[in-house]
């Protein structure tokens, strides 16, 4: 039992090249054994088939001689068995019912019982001799019931099979040795790209993601593995780069409100106890910066949950047009009629999505429009059915976005104008959250804008079927 456990541990801890070599050698050996066993069986079957035919030929010869003569056939006459091919190791014996031998070949020295069934080929081993024989029974007027026994001596055939077996065994042994050597060589060659992958992986770390595997050769599994590994490192590098940028941007965004709070705290410590105006100004500024920090932290946590896959998503069927009407009503209350907020086109459509996330996305767009649209400017959120999708468009008549910066507005912490965004309380995370919501729903989002003319944010979502 311990021996088996030890062997199992050795095999499990062995190199893949060794395992492949053993597997290849075992399979090759099994194929050789099955093939050679089939050859031996086929040769044996052929030799016995030939022996059966020879016995049938002798039977025909003898019976023709006996039946072609007159009624007073002399079965003791050697001429009856003269045509038996003795060179083929065939012998014949003719005897009466009482066991008296009437005629036999000179080479016939076998002791085989005469019994039923007659006229049927049988095999027997007599004194280490392999024999094939047939017993015949004929009726004659002169001798009555007469038995004829035809025997084929098979030792020559068995000697041939022994020699063949030895040759095949030697060939099998040579084949197994060759399969081990060839299998090891092939496995090492096949696994060479894996060694390259291993070396490349050893050289890659968080601080060094530039290494890649050189992928060459045919488009096989190993090449696809190498390509997959390279793509994985590309994604890791991109992810680490985004993480570093994210931490850097978050630190930068938090540094400012913390510095402001510290400054006003120092002001309160020095003058706030006696100066009422300084006290109120400091408390107001600290509250504003604390609120900005709270908003920033909430958005950072939201994105972090989304990136880690821990953000809970509860999809259900709901009417998108009702959600848009609700967002419009709430936005009008919050905005206190400083802007014209409308929904010019709002098709009745049901979608399968997370209601809270789609509402959050819509509010982000409206809040952005309110921040960057002058008072009494126009803000519109509409929906339109297009085949099996719904197009949500949020447009404003605000300051617009420079053409060269439109492609970057969905990046985290990206703001078109840092100073104006800061004045309006922007962190550059709102549109990133909105894009993440669209992505998690399998939709598409893009922007159209001209400076001084306004901006359009377009979202395409699948309609629930």
């Amino acid at each position: 039992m311990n021996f088996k456990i030890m062997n199992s541990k050795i095999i499990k801890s062995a190199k893949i090249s060794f395992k492949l070599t053993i597997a290849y050698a075992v399979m090759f050996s099994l194929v050789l054994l099955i093939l050679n066993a089939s050859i031996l069986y086929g040769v044996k079957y052929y030799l016995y088939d030939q022996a059966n035919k020879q016995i049938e030929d002798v039977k025909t010869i003898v019976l023709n001689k006996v039946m072609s003569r007159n009624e007073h056939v002399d079965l003791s006459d050697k001429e009856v068995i003269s045509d038996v091919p003795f060179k083929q190791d065939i012998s014949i014996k003719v005897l009466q019912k009482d066991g008296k031998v009437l005629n036999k070949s000179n080479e016939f020295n076998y002791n085989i019982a005469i019994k039923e069934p007659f006229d049927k080929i049988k095999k027997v081993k007599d004194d280490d001799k392999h024999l094939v024989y047939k017993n015949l029974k004929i009726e004659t007027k002169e001798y009555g019931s007469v038995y004829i026994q035809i025997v084929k001596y098979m030792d020559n055939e068995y000697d041939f099979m022994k020699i063949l077996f030895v040759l095949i065994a030697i060939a099998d042994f040579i084949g197994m040795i060759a399969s081990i050597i060839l299998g090891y060589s092939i496995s090492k060659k096949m696994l060479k790209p894996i060694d390259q992958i291993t070396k490349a992986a050893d050289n890659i770390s968080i601080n060094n993601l530039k290494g890649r595997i050189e992928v060459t050769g045919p488009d096989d599994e190993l090449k696809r593995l190498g390509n997959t590994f390279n793509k994985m490192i590309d994604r890791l590098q991109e992810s680490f780069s985004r993480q570093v940028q994210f931490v850097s941007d978050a630190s930068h965004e938090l540094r400012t409100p913390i510095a402001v709070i510290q400054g006003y705290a120092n002001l309160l410590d020095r003058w706030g106890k006696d100066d009422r105006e300084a006290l109120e100004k400091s408390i107001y500024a600290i509250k504003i910066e604390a609120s900005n920090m709270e908003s920033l932290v909430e958005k950072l946590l939201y994105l972090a949950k989304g990136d880690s896959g821990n953000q809970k998503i509860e999809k259900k069927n709901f009417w998108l047009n009702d959600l848009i009407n609700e967002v419009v009503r709430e936005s009008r209350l919050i905005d206190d009629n400083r802007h014209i907020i409308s929904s010019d086109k709002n098709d009745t459509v049901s979608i399968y999505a997370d209601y809270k996330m789609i509402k959050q996305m819509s509010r982000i767009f409206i809040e952005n429009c309110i921040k960057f649209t002058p008072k009494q400017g126009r803000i519109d959120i509409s929906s339109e059915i297009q085949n099996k999708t719904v197009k949500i468009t949020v447009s404003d008549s605000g300051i617009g976005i420079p053409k060269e910066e439109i492609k970057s507005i969905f990046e985290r912490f990206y703001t078109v104008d840092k100073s104006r965004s800061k004045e309006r309380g922007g962190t550059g995370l709102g549109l990133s959250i909105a894009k993440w919501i669209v992505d998690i729903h399998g939709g598409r989002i893009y922007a159209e804008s001209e400076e001084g003319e306004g901006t359009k944010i377009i979202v395409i979502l699948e309609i629930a079927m």
Side-chain angles (χ1 to χ4, degrees):
M1 185 67 180
N2 292 333
F3 181 72
K4 289 182 178 179
I5 294 172
M6 186 173 68
N7 280 345
S8 177
K9 288 182 178 179
I10 292 172
I11 292 172
K12 287 181 179 179
S13 61
K15 291 183 179 180
I16 295 177
S17 58
F18 176 77
K19 292 178 181 178
L20 285 175
T21 301
I22 296 300
Y24 179 79
V26 169
M27 286 190 294
F28 185 76
S29 300
L30 284 174
V31 171
L32 274 180
L33 288 173
I34 293 170
L35 182 62
N36 292 333
S38 301
I39 291 172
L40 284 172
Y41 178 80
V43 170
K44 183 178 179 181
Y45 177 84
Y46 173 78
L47 293 175
Y48 271 102
D49 183 64
Q50 291 298 111
N52 295 344
K53 288 179 179 179
Q54 290 170 1
I55 290 175
E56 287 295 327
D57 290 342
V58 171
K59 169 191 166 183
T60 304
I61 292 170
V62 173
L63 290 182
N64 284 342
K65 280 194 174 185
V66 172
M67 299 305 178
S68 64
R69 297 182 177 222
N70 54 34
E71 295 179 354
H72 304 287
V73 60
D74 185 6
L75 292 179
S76 62
D77 188 355
K78 288 291 183 180
E79 188 181 347
V80 175
I81 60 173
S82 62
D83 292 335
V84 175
F86 303 114
K87 291 182 179 179
Q88 295 180 358
D89 296 323
I90 294 179
S91 303
I92 189 168
K93 181 169 70 174
V94 182
L95 64 161
Q96 290 180 298
K97 191 174 183 180
D98 58 4
K100 181 183 178 181
V101 178
L102 298 174
N103 205 341
K104 73 172 184 175
S105 305
N106 294 331
E107 296 82 4
F108 198 103
N109 54 356
Y110 315 116
N111 186 20
I112 302 174
I114 301 291
K115 59 182 179 179
E116 295 184 353
F118 297 108
D119 201 18
K120 185 176 181 180
I121 296 290
K122 294 182 181 180
K123 301 174 187 176
V124 70
K125 191 174 181 182
D126 182 37
D127 295 333
D128 294 329
K129 296 177 181 179
H130 297 275
L131 307 172
V132 178
Y133 70 94
K134 175 179 278 193
N135 291 326
L136 301 174
K137 182 179 180 182
I138 61 174
E139 298 293 334
T140 64
K141 289 185 178 181
E142 185 174 349
Y143 299 98
S145 296
V146 175
Y147 302 100
I148 300 174
Q149 192 172 66
I150 306 170
V151 179
K152 166 70 176 177
Y153 179 64
M154 296 289 293
D155 276 20
N156 290 335
E157 283 80 358
Y158 268 85
D159 289 341
F160 170 76
M161 290 180 64
K162 287 176 183 177
I163 295 171
L164 181 62
F165 175 80
V166 171
L167 291 175
I168 286 176
I170 294 171
D172 284 350
F173 179 75
I174 295 171
M176 283 189 284
I177 298 298
S179 69
I180 292 173
I181 297 171
L182 187 63
Y184 182 76
S185 175
I186 292 173
S187 64
K188 289 291 286 184
K189 187 175 181 180
M190 289 175 63
L191 295 174
K192 189 176 180 181
I194 296 181
D195 289 336
Q196 294 175 348
I197 292 173
T198 304
K199 290 177 182 177
D202 287 339
N203 294 328
I204 291 171
S205 65
I206 294 176
N207 299 319
N208 178 26
L209 291 172
K210 295 180 180 178
R212 295 294 183 274
I213 298 169
E214 186 178 349
V215 181
T216 57
D219 186 19
D220 55 11
E221 290 82 0
L222 290 176
K223 185 174 182 179
R224 289 196 291 272
L225 175 63
N227 287 327
T228 303
F229 182 84
N230 287 339
K231 290 176 183 176
M232 180 191 71
I233 299 302
D234 289 339
R235 290 194 297 270
L236 283 174
Q237 187 174 22
E238 184 181 353
S239 177
F240 282 127
S241 298
R242 284 204 310 267
Q243 184 181 18
V244 170
Q245 185 64 41
F246 185 81
V247 172
S248 175
D249 291 339
S251 301
H252 176 76
E253 291 293 331
L254 287 169
R255 190 181 295 117
T256 302
I258 289 171
V260 171
I261 290 172
Q262 286 178 336
Y264 278 104
N266 291 332
L267 180 64
L268 282 173
D269 186 49
R270 287 197 302 267
W271 312 103
K273 299 173 184 177
D274 302 320
D275 190 336
R276 182 75 181 177
E277 183 180 352
L279 176 64
E280 291 179 354
K281 183 179 179 182
S282 298
I283 291 173
Y284 176 77
I286 289 172
K287 286 174 68 177
I288 291 294
E289 293 301 329
S291 176
N292 289 339
M293 285 179 64
E294 181 184 17
S295 175
L296 176 62
V297 170
E298 284 180 357
K299 290 175 179 177
L300 286 172
L301 288 174
Y302 189 94
L303 287 170
K305 283 184 178 180
D307 289 343
S308 64
N310 294 324
Q311 188 68 47
K312 193 175 181 181
I313 302 170
E314 298 178 347
K315 290 186 177 183
K316 62 179 181 180
N317 287 307
F318 62 88
W319 296 102
L320 179 63
N321 50 297
D322 290 342
L323 182 146
I324 290 175
N325 289 332
E326 185 180 341
V327 170
V328 170
R329 286 195 304 272
E330 292 174 355
S331 299
R332 285 171 179 169
L333 290 173
I334 295 169
D335 187 55
D336 197 21
N337 293 323
R338 286 175 294 176
H339 299 88
I340 301 169
I341 302 175
S342 63
S343 179
D344 290 343
K345 184 176 177 60
N346 194 9
D347 289 349
T348 302
V349 60
S350 173
I351 65 169
Y352 182 71
D354 187 302
Y355 184 91
K356 292 180 180 178
M357 286 187 178
I358 299 299
K359 188 173 183 179
Q360 182 182 7
M361 176 195 74
S362 303
R363 280 179 171 172
I364 289 171
F365 295 150
I366 297 294
E367 287 172 6
N368 257 34
C369 292
I370 290 173
K371 287 177 186 176
F372 298 102
T373 301
K375 289 183 179 181
Q376 299 306 309
R378 185 174 179 81
I379 299 170
D380 183 81
I381 177 170
S382 300
S383 67
E384 180 182 0
I385 298 174
Q386 295 182 340
N387 296 325
K388 295 182 180 180
T389 62
V390 59
K391 178 182 177 182
I392 303 170
T393 305
V394 182
S395 59
D396 63 41
S397 57
I399 59 176
I401 303 169
K403 190 174 182 180
E404 64 275 8
E405 301 205 41
I406 290 176
K407 64 179 182 298
S408 303
I409 63 172
F410 298 108
E411 295 177 6
R412 296 176 185 182
F413 294 107
Y414 186 86
T415 52
V416 176
D417 188 323
K418 301 287 183 184
S419 59
R420 286 191 296 176
S421 296
K422 195 66 184 176
E423 290 171 5
R424 292 171 170 83
T427 60
L429 288 176
L431 289 179
S432 298
I433 292 173
K435 184 179 185 303
W436 181 86
I437 292 172
V438 174
D439 291 341
I440 207 68
H441 284 84
R444 292 182 290 116
I445 183 171
Y446 58 94
E448 297 175 355
S449 183
E450 288 186 22
E451 284 189 271
E453 298 294 329
T455 302
K456 282 185 182 180
I457 301 293
I458 296 100
V459 174
I460 309 293
L461 296 174
E462 294 288 332
I463 295 175
M465 300 303 291

